[in-house]
Amino acid sequence: MKEHKQIKDWGLGLTGPTIIAGPCSAESPEQIEQICIEMKENNVIPSMFRAGIWKPRTRPGSFEGIGEEGLKWMEIVRHHLNIPITVEVGNAAHAEIALRNNVDVVWVGARTTVNPFAVQEIADALKGTDIPVMVKNPMNPDLDLWIGALERFHAVGLTKLAAIHRGFSDAYDKRYRNKPNWSMPMHLKRVWTGMEVINDPSHIVGKRDGILEISQKAMNFGLDGLMIETHHDPDNAWSDAKQQVTPARLKEILDAIDFKKPLESEQPSERLNDLRRAVDHMDDQLLDILQERFAVIDQIGAHKREHHLPVFQSDRWKDVMESRTQKGVAKNLSEKFMKELLYCIHEESVKRQEKQLREADSVKK
C-alpha cells in the first residue's frame, strides 16, 4: 500500500468537529424551508447542509431523488442559514449539474466508491475546479478501494478531500444497518496523514436510537465530524425515514456529545510524554519476546521436518486457543482480542514451518 505524506493545505481545513445535517432526500421547497426554520429555532446551525438530490436505490420504482430541480431549492438554505451545501453525485453528469448549480461540496456515495470507472469519470468531470470532495467508504471493508477513490480525485488536482465513514455491509451483524468496523477509518487516518474523516452515524445505525452512542464513539476515536440526517417530519420522509431525526433532537444529540480535543491541536503534557515513552519501551519488549517465540517455533518446525510430522496439529491448536484465551480474559483482556491475537501468531507460525518444509523438499529434489 502506498504511504501518503502530509500535503500542504490538504483536506477541508476543519478547525473543529464538522457537523453536516439535512434530509436524506430533498422533497420540496417547503420541506427544505421548514428544516431550516426549525434549525434556527433550535439554535442548531450545522457546518454544512446535506440533501440527497439523486438517490441510488436497490430496486427500480423506489424514490430515486427529485433531480436537478432540487438544487434550485438549496438557495433557501443559503437565505436562511448561509452555510455551504453538499450533495451526493453518482456519475459525471451529476457532477457537472452540481457545478452548474453552485453546489459548494460534493460527496461520492458508498455504492459509487466500489466502481473505479464511475469514480474516475466523476474525477475527470471535476478536473480544473477546486470543489471539495468527500468520499464514503465502499460497502465492503476494502481499505485499498477507499484510498483508491481518494487517489483518483487527487490525481486530477483536487486536494480539498475528506472521507466519510458510513459503515460496512455485514449480513450476520443485526445490531447495525452497516457495521462500523472502527479499525478502517482509524487505519485510513494512519496511512494517509492529514486525511479528515467524517462519521455518518445515521447509516451505521439505520434508526434514530443509537445515533448518539455511535456519534460519541466517533468522537472518542478522534474522527473529525458527523453527518446526521435531519428532517422536520422524519416519520413521513420519502426515504430512510427510520434513521432521520428532527432538528430539536439533533440539538439534543450534539449537546450530549463530549467532543474531544484533538491531541494534535495542543502540546502534550510531560505526563503524557512519560506514559508514551513507557508504552514505547514495552512495545520493544513485546517485539523481543515475539522474536524469541518465533525462534522456538523455527526449532519446532525443524523437529517436525526431521520426524515427518504435519505442520498443523488440531488438538494442540485447540488447547492453545482455549488456555491462552482464558488466561487473557483473567488478565482483563477481551476474548475477541485474545482470539484475534492468537490467530495472527498462529498464522505466522504455520507460515514459518511451511517455509521450512518447502526448503527441505527443494533440497531433496
Side-chain angles (χ1 to χ4, degrees), residues 48-272:
M48 279 186 256
F49 189 95
R50 59 144 291 150
I53 300 300
W54 301 279
K55 301 297 298 181
R57 302 288 86 182
T58 302
R59 301 178 66 179
S62 303
F63 173 61
E64 296 184 327
I66 208 73
E68 184 174 1
E69 178 66 17
L71 292 176
K72 299 179 175 62
W73 307 339
M74 296 303 105
E75 292 303 319
I76 297 171
V77 179
R78 293 189 174 95
H79 172 72
H80 281 283
L81 304 179
N82 191 29
I83 57 176
I85 306 301
T86 181
V87 303
E88 177 180 351
V89 294
N91 55 42
H94 292 169
E96 291 165 357
I97 294 170
L99 290 174
R100 287 202 303 268
N101 285 271
N102 301 315
V103 170
D104 301 291
V105 180
V106 297
W107 85 80
V108 175
R111 294 170 186 259
T112 305
T113 305
V114 301
N115 185 341
F117 293 115
V119 173
Q120 188 62 56
E121 289 174 1
I122 295 171
D124 291 340
L126 298 177
K127 185 177 180 179
T129 74
D130 63 350
I131 189 169
V133 179
M134 301 183 292
V135 179
K136 286 196 173 186
N137 62 255
M139 299 183 71
N140 295 316
D142 187 333
L143 185 62
D144 281 343
L145 198 56
W146 198 2
I147 290 175
L150 288 158
E151 286 178 328
R152 290 180 185 278
F153 289 104
H154 185 257
V156 300
L158 296 170
T159 58
K160 295 177 181 177
L161 301 176
I164 299 176
H165 168 233
R166 52 82 77 188
F168 306 87
S169 296
D170 189 325
Y172 302 102
D173 194 328
K174 303 303 181 184
R175 294 172 297 168
Y176 306 103
R177 179 179 178 183
N178 295 289
K179 189 174 181 178
N181 198 342
W182 294 103
S183 63
M184 293 291 284
M186 300 296 292
H187 195 41
L188 176 63
K189 289 177 74 68
R190 282 196 296 268
V191 300
W192 202 322
T193 306
M195 176 59 63
E196 295 152 336
V197 181
I198 308 296
N199 176 258
D200 179 350
S202 302
H203 279 88
I204 288 175
V205 182
K207 54 187 178 181
R208 287 173 213 118
D209 295 341
I211 287 180
L212 172 56
E213 178 187 358
I214 293 299
S215 298
Q216 184 62 68
K217 285 186 177 181
M219 295 301 98
N220 293 348
F221 281 116
L223 301 193
D224 302 284
L226 301 166
M227 177 183 276
I228 300 177
E229 293 189 345
T230 308
H231 194 292
H232 73 289
D233 185 13
D235 289 335
N236 292 304
W238 294 2
S239 59
D240 287 348
K242 293 180 180 179
Q243 68 189 40
Q244 300 192 65
V245 299
T246 63
R249 178 56 184 156
L250 176 65
K251 172 66 171 173
E252 292 173 353
I253 290 171
L254 297 179
D255 285 347
I257 294 173
D258 177 15
F259 288 100
K260 307 296 182 181
K261 182 184 295 185
L263 287 174
E264 292 78 6
S265 68
E266 60 180 19
Q267 290 297 321
S269 65
E270 189 58 35
R271 171 61 175 161
L272 182 58

Side-chain angles (χ1 to χ4, degrees), residues 326-345:
Q326 289 175 3
K327 288 180 180 180
V329 171
K331 295 178 182 294
N332 203 30
L333 300 173
S334 74
E335 181 179 348
K336 180 176 183 291
F337 168 75
M338 286 303 305
K339 287 183 176 179
E340 290 179 352
L341 174 64
L342 291 168
Y343 274 123
C344 288
I345 292 174

Side-chain angles (χ1 to χ4, degrees), residues 19-38:
I19 306 302
I20 304 172
C24 174
S25 302
E27 300 166 0
S28 69
E30 292 78 16
Q31 171 226 26
I32 299 298
E33 183 164 35
Q34 187 59 36
I35 294 171
C36 291
I37 290 172
E38 292 189 20

